[in-house]
């Protein structure tokens, strides 16, 4: 159980992306301190990699939708069941072509009663009531 009463979005995508981004930012900082172009380029590349890895994990269901989640989904080990269809207000899902809730849903099947004459309905009801 969580020690805090709020959903802070602890997800596999978030933790992995953050870890990679910290490494990239450390490289950028080292590049600034040493005035090294290759370190700056490597740090920027690692930060772009962090963005792409986080996005891929989010699309695979290891992220979370915007806003609060139900309490039973707060654990970072829980996959997001709505990721395949996309999240309604998620820019990353829209970039991936997932429109969030606009996935095609089959049309409901409507069942219509057979058309019978009024006298036939009454006769059927009498037969059912008398015989069984």
């Amino acid at each position: 159980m969580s020690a805090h009463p709020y959903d802070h979005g602890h997800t596999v995508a978030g933790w992995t992306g953050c870890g990679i981004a910290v490494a990239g930012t450390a490289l950028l900082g080292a590049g600034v301190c040493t005035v090294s172009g290759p370190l700056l380029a490597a740090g920027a590349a690692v930060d772009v990699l962090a963005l792409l890895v986080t996005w891929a994990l989010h699309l695979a269901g290891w992220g979370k939708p915007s806003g609060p989640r139900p309490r039973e989904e707060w654990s970072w080990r829980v996959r997001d069941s709505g990721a395949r269809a996309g999240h309604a207000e998620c820019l990353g899902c829209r970039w991936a072509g997932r429109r969030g809730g606009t996935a095609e849903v089959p049309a409901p099947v409507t069942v219509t009663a057979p058309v019978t004459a009024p006298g036939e309905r009454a006769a059927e009801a009498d037969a059912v009531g008398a015989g069984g």
Side-chain angles (χ1 to χ4, degrees):
M1 179 143 229
S2 178
H4 49 74
Y6 305 105
D7 174 23
H8 289 288
H10 300 283
T11 63
V12 172
W15 283 108
T16 304
C18 183
I20 296 170
V22 165
T25 304
L27 282 173
L28 280 169
V32 168
C33 290
T34 61
V35 191
S36 170
L39 275 178
L40 288 171
V46 171
D47 279 343
V48 169
L49 177 68
L51 176 74
L52 296 175
V53 167
T54 304
W55 185 32
L57 286 171
H58 171 77
L59 294 176
W62 290 110
K64 79 174 214 65
S66 298
R69 296 177 289 182
R71 190 168 186 83
E72 59 272 4
E73 295 180 13
W74 283 9
S75 172
W76 64 274
R77 295 176 187 95
V78 176
R79 287 187 78 169
D80 177 20
S81 60
R84 185 171 293 282
H87 303 112
E89 297 178 11
C90 178
L91 181 62
C93 288
R94 282 185 274 160
W95 282 351
R98 299 177 183 180
R99 297 294 173 204
T102 60
E104 288 194 26
V105 176
V109 177
T110 56
V111 179
T112 57
V115 178
T116 58
E120 290 178 28
R121 287 261 291 168
E124 287 176 14
D126 288 340
V128 170

